C-alpha cells in the first residue's frame, strides 16, 4: 500500500500534554506515507506555537498553518480540507491517542470494501489516558453499516476522529454551506450518496473524555444534569432541553445540513419526510403516537439501548421526564 494519506488536525488553545501525546502517536503509525496537516486557530498560548515548530523540525511530514484570526471549529476544518490533496483523508482530534495501526488498517479496509468512508472503534480514556470503556461502539450504540443503509441519511455514522474518507467525499464537502454543523455527519451522508461505508470493530485509538468535552462521549443523564443545573428541573425546562438539545441539535440540524448537499431525488424526498417527522415531534408535549415513523427513519443494527432512549424522549416525553429527572 503506497496511497498517500492526509491527516487533518485542527487545534485551538489545546492542552499541551494532550497535543504532544496525540502528535507522537500519529508519527509512530506503521503506515508511513502520510502528511499531518495542523491548523492552529489563532491560539492564545505561545507554548503551542513553540511545540508545533519543534515537531515540524523533527518530521517533514508535518505541515503547519497559522490562522491570523479565530475561524471557529467548522471553518478551521474546512480550511484543512481545502489544503488536503491525498487519495485518503483522516480527521484527528487534538486530545486522543492513536494506536500504531490506525492508518494502516483504515487504508486496508477502505480498499478492500471499495467504499467512500471507513470508521473504526475506539477505547474511551480519561484525562490520564486510563481506559474507562473498552468499546465505544458498544458504549454509545454506534450504528454498524457495511455498504449502504438508510441510517447514512439520518444519523452521523462514526465520530470524525474514527473516520477515513476518499478524496471524492472531500471534494463534495467543499465549500461548507452555512448549515454545516458537523463535518463527520456530512462526510457519512456524502459517503451514503456515493459508494457507501464500512466499519472496523477493533478499537484503533483512545478517545479521550475530559472536563472540556461539552457533550461528546457523555451519557444522556450527564448532559441533562448539566442542563438542569443551569435551566431548572421542571417539566418545561425538560421540554426545552428535548427540543433544543436533542431534537434540533442532535437530529434536525444535521438533517437540514444534509438537505443543502443532497443530489439524489429519492434521498431528498426521504429527508423532507424526516424533517416533517422531527417538526411534528417538537410540537408534542406529553405523547406522540407516530412511533412507526421512528422505525422507518432511525432504527438499525447495534442501536438497541439508544433506540429505547430515543423512543422515550421522542414519543413519550412525560415518561422521559419522570425517568431522567432524578
Amino acid at each position: 500500500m503506497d496511497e498517500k494519506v492526509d491527516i487533518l488536525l485542527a487545534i485551538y488553545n489545546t492542552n499541551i500534554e494532550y497535543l504532544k501525546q496525540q502528535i507522537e502517536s500519529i508519527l509512530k503509525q506503521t503506515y508511513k506515507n502520510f502528511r499531518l496537516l495542523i491548523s492552529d486557530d489563532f491560539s492564545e498560548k505561545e507554548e503551542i506555537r513553540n511545540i508545533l515548530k519543534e515537531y515540524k523540525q523533527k518530521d517533514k511530514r508535518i505541515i503547519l498553518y497559522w490562522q491570523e484570526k479565530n475561524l471557529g471549529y467548522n471553518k478551521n476544518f474546512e480550511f484543512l480540507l481545502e489544503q488536503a490533496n491525498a487519495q485518503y483523508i483522516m480527521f484527528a482530534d487534538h486530545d486522543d491517542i492513536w494506536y500504531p495501526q490506525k492508518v494502516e488498517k483504515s487504508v486496508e479496509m477502505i480498499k478492500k470494501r471499495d467504499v467512500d468512508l471507513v470508521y473504526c472503534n475506539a477505547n474511551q480514556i480519561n484525562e490520564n489516558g486510563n481506559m474507562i470503556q473498552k468499546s465505544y461502539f458498544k458504549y454509545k450504540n454506534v450504528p454498524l453499516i457495511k455498504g449502504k443503509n438508510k441510517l447514512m441519511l439520518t444519523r452521523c455514522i462514526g465520530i470524525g476522529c474514527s473516520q477515513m474518507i476518499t478524496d471524492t467525499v472531500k471534494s463534495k464537502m467543499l465549500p461548507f454551506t452555512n448549515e454545516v454543523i458537523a463535518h463527520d455527519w456530512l462526510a457519512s451522508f456524502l459517503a451514503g450518496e456515493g459508494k457507501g461505508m464500512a466499519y472496523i470493530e477493533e478499537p484503533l485509538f483512545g478517545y479521550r473524555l475530559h472536563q472540556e468535552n461539552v457533550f461528546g462521549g457523555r451519557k444522556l443523564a450527564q448532559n441533562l444534569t448539566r442542563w438542569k443545573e443551569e435551566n431548572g428541573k421542571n417539566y418545561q425546562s425538560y421540554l426545552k432541553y428535548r427540543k433544543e438539545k436533542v431534537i434540533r441539535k442532535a437530529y434536525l440540524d444535521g438533517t437540514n445540513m444534509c438537505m443543502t448537499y443532497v443530489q439524489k431525488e429519492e434521498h431528498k424526498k426521504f429527508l423532507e419526510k424526516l424533517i416533517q417527522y422531527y417538526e411534528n415531534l417538537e410540537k408534542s408535549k406529553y405523547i406522540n403516537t407516530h412511533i412507526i415513523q421512528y422505525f422507518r427513519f432511525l432504527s438499525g443494527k447495534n442501536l438497541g439501548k439508544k433506540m429505547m432512549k430515543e423512543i422515550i424522549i421522542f414519543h413519550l416525553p412525560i415518561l422521559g421526564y419522570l425517568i431522567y429527572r432524578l
Side-chain angles (χ1 to χ4, degrees), residues 295-311:
F295 289 98
R296 178 185 179 190
F297 295 122
L298 294 167
S299 61
K301 183 179 179 181
N302 200 49
L303 290 173
K305 293 180 180 179
K306 182 188 289 288
M307 287 172 57
M308 290 300 298
K309 290 180 180 178
E310 290 174 338
I311 289 172

Side-chain angles (χ1 to χ4, degrees), residues 70-107:
N70 185 260
L71 300 178
Y73 180 77
N74 273 340
K75 283 296 181 181
N76 201 17
F77 256 112
E78 181 183 28
F79 170 84
L80 282 170
L81 277 169
E82 291 170 342
Q83 314 313 312
N85 58 27
Q87 183 174 352
Y88 301 125
I89 298 156
M90 303 180 78
F91 306 116
D93 282 355
H94 62 89
D95 49 6
D96 295 336
I97 298 176
W98 285 19
Y99 302 156
Q101 292 185 298
K102 185 175 191 291
V103 178
E104 179 181 349
K105 292 190 174 183
S106 295
V107 173

Side-chain angles (χ1 to χ4, degrees), residues 13 51 57 85 100 119 124 136 166 168 171 173 185 192 197 263 268 278 285 317-318:
N13 285 344
I51 289 293
Q57 291 178 349
N85 58 27
Y119 62 108
Q124 198 163 45
Y136 190 78
T166 62
T168 300
S171 64
M173 293 175 72
W185 190 334
M197 64 172 61
Q263 295 294 318
K268 181 180 179 181
Y278 288 139
K285 294 184 178 181
I318 185 64

Side-chain angles (χ1 to χ4, degrees), residues 143-253:
L144 301 180
I145 296 176
K146 290 182 180 180
K148 295 186 179 183
N149 187 289
K150 65 177 181 181
L151 293 182
M152 302 174 74
L153 307 177
T154 63
R155 293 183 182 274
C156 178
I157 309 298
I159 47 179
C161 49
S162 75
Q163 295 178 343
M164 169 179 279
I165 63 173
T166 62
D167 55 354
T168 300
V169 171
K170 183 214 77 170
S171 64
K172 291 179 179 179
M173 293 175 72
L174 296 172
F176 281 9
T177 65
N178 293 331
E179 286 75 17
V180 171
I181 61 166
H183 62 279
D184 46 5
W185 190 334
L186 178 58
S188 64
F189 172 77
L190 292 173
E193 288 236 307
K195 295 191 294 184
M197 64 172 61
Y199 64 89
I200 301 172
E201 197 157 2
E202 177 186 357
L204 295 181
F205 68 107
Y207 180 48
R208 197 187 301 267
L209 180 65
H210 52 82
Q211 290 302 314
E212 294 179 6
N213 292 129
V214 179
F215 280 92
R218 297 188 182 277
K219 296 180 179 180
L220 169 64
Q222 293 173 310
N223 292 331
L224 190 52
T225 296
R226 288 187 173 191
W227 173 270
K228 288 188 292 186
E229 289 174 352
E230 298 179 0
N231 299 278
K233 301 180 180 181
N234 60 37
Y235 189 55
Q236 291 305 313
S237 175
Y238 173 78
L239 288 178
K240 185 177 180 181
Y241 174 85
R242 171 180 173 267
K243 179 178 181 178
E244 295 181 3
K245 297 298 183 180
V246 180
I247 297 174
R248 287 191 180 179
K249 184 175 182 180
Y251 296 87
L252 181 55
D253 287 351

Side-chain angles (χ1 to χ4, degrees), residues 100-150:
Q101 292 185 298
K102 185 175 191 291
V103 178
E104 179 181 349
K105 292 190 174 183
S106 295
V107 173
E108 287 178 352
M109 182 61 75
I110 205 167
K111 292 178 65 177
K112 178 181 178 181
R113 299 293 183 183
D114 188 26
V115 291
D116 275 325
L117 185 151
V118 163
Y119 62 108
C120 68
N121 203 353
N123 293 321
Q124 198 163 45
I125 59 177
N126 63 13
E127 293 94 334
N128 300 317
N130 298 320
M131 188 185 303
I132 52 180
Q133 296 289 339
K134 287 187 177 181
S135 171
Y136 190 78
F137 279 3
K138 293 181 180 179
Y139 173 60
K140 295 293 287 185
N141 297 118
V142 175
L144 301 180
I145 296 176
K146 290 182 180 180
K148 295 186 179 183
N149 187 289
K150 65 177 181 181

